[in-house]
């Protein structure tokens, strides 16, 4: 397994909509790539990671709601995930993102979702209901597949300040490296 580089905002790659995994892509290589994504998520550390965050334009997601507690117990791997149903009940959650370090945004999410996806190894269709924290993680990662990042959900002022701070930091870092 390998730890992959995580793309951070502002990077236009994060705003691209991911493409479906094609039938001929399912199998060992895809399963290994998702294992690499999981290792990357744990190393970051995080509780979810979408393929666009590691420069992969496919609809792939890994999550582990127990990652902070040792991880591995709730590791889930999804290919072509789609939310089939959302509950009317909502929750507000203070979210962070591996691609938008040092930013926290309160986001309104469905309390419960029904998710449909394909198994990365076999391509078989599966469904499961996720609630609470796990539902929030899944919805956050699926946002990445649609080209929506946490920065997009921040207020205009918060977004502007964040981008200005990141650009300044990158300029300073490049000056120090030269």
């Amino acid at each position: 397994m390998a730890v992959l580089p995580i793309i951070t905002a502002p990077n236009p790659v994060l705003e691209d909509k991911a493409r479906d995994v094609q039938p001929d892509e399912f199998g060992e290589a895809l399963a290994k790539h998702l294992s690499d994504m999981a290792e990357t998520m744990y190393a970051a550390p995080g509780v979810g990671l979408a393929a666009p965050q590691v420069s992969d334009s496919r609809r792939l997601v890994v999550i582990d709601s127990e990652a902070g507690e040792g991880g591995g117990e709730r590791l889930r791997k999804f290919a072509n995930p789609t939310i089939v149903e959302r509950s009317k009940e909502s929750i507000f959650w203070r979210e962070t993102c591996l691609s938008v370090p040092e930013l926290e945004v309160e986001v309104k999410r469905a309390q419960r979702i029904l998710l449909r996806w394909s198994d990365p190894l076999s391509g078989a269709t599966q469904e499961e209901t996720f609630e609470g924290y796990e539902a929030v993680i899944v919805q956050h990662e699926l946002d990445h597949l649609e080209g929506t990042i946490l920065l997009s959900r921040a207020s205009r002022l918060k977004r502007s300040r964040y981008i200005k701070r990141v650009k300044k930091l990158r300029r300073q870092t490049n000056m120090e490296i030269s």
Side-chain angles (χ1 to χ4, degrees):
M1 291 196 280
V3 173
L4 308 167
I6 297 174
I7 296 173
T8 57
N11 187 316
V13 169
L14 294 169
E15 297 173 13
D16 293 340
K17 188 172 179 175
R19 69 167 179 83
D20 283 344
V21 175
Q22 299 304 305
D24 63 338
E25 294 178 288
F26 290 95
E28 292 292 334
L30 187 64
K32 183 198 176 308
H33 181 62
L34 281 158
S35 292
D36 290 345
M37 286 177 56
E39 185 173 340
T40 303
M41 173 187 70
Y42 291 132
V47 294
L49 188 70
Q53 294 176 273
V54 291
S55 301
D56 184 340
S57 63
R58 296 178 290 182
R59 295 183 65 80
L60 299 169
V61 167
V62 294
I63 71 162
D64 185 343
S65 60
E66 297 177 5
E69 302 164 20
E73 295 298 315
R74 290 288 300 160
L75 176 61
R76 309 303 299 274
K77 301 174 183 179
F78 308 120
N80 298 333
T82 304
I83 295 174
V84 179
E85 284 180 26
R86 296 175 193 267
S87 67
K88 291 181 181 173
E89 304 86 34
S90 300
I91 54 175
F92 287 89
W93 206 271
R94 297 201 60 78
E95 297 182 22
T96 59
C97 180
L98 298 176
S99 289
V100 192
E102 299 178 27
L103 180 74
E104 189 175 273
V105 177
E106 189 170 71
V107 181
K108 181 180 179 182
R109 300 285 188 186
Q111 167 68 32
R112 185 178 51 261
I113 60 170
L114 175 61
L115 187 72
R116 180 178 298 146
W117 73 93
S118 299
D119 176 82
L121 197 55
S122 67
T125 301
Q126 300 183 11
E127 281 188 359
E128 185 176 337
T129 298
F130 293 88
E131 295 187 52
Y133 183 48
E134 281 190 310
V136 168
I137 297 168
V138 171
Q139 291 170 84
H140 176 103
E141 298 311 326
L142 267 59
D143 276 357
H144 281 291
L145 302 182
E146 297 302 318
T148 301
I149 61 172
L150 191 60
L151 195 57
S152 307
R153 294 186 175 277
S155 69
R156 186 180 304 170
L157 178 62
K158 198 170 195 175
R159 185 173 40 245
S160 173
R161 285 182 177 168
Y162 181 84
I163 290 171
K164 185 183 276 186
R165 187 176 75 228
V166 167
K167 286 182 178 180
K168 181 179 178 183
L169 181 63
R170 287 180 182 170
R171 278 194 309 273
Q172 289 172 343
T173 304
N174 286 339
M175 289 174 150
E176 292 170 11
I177 292 172
S178 300

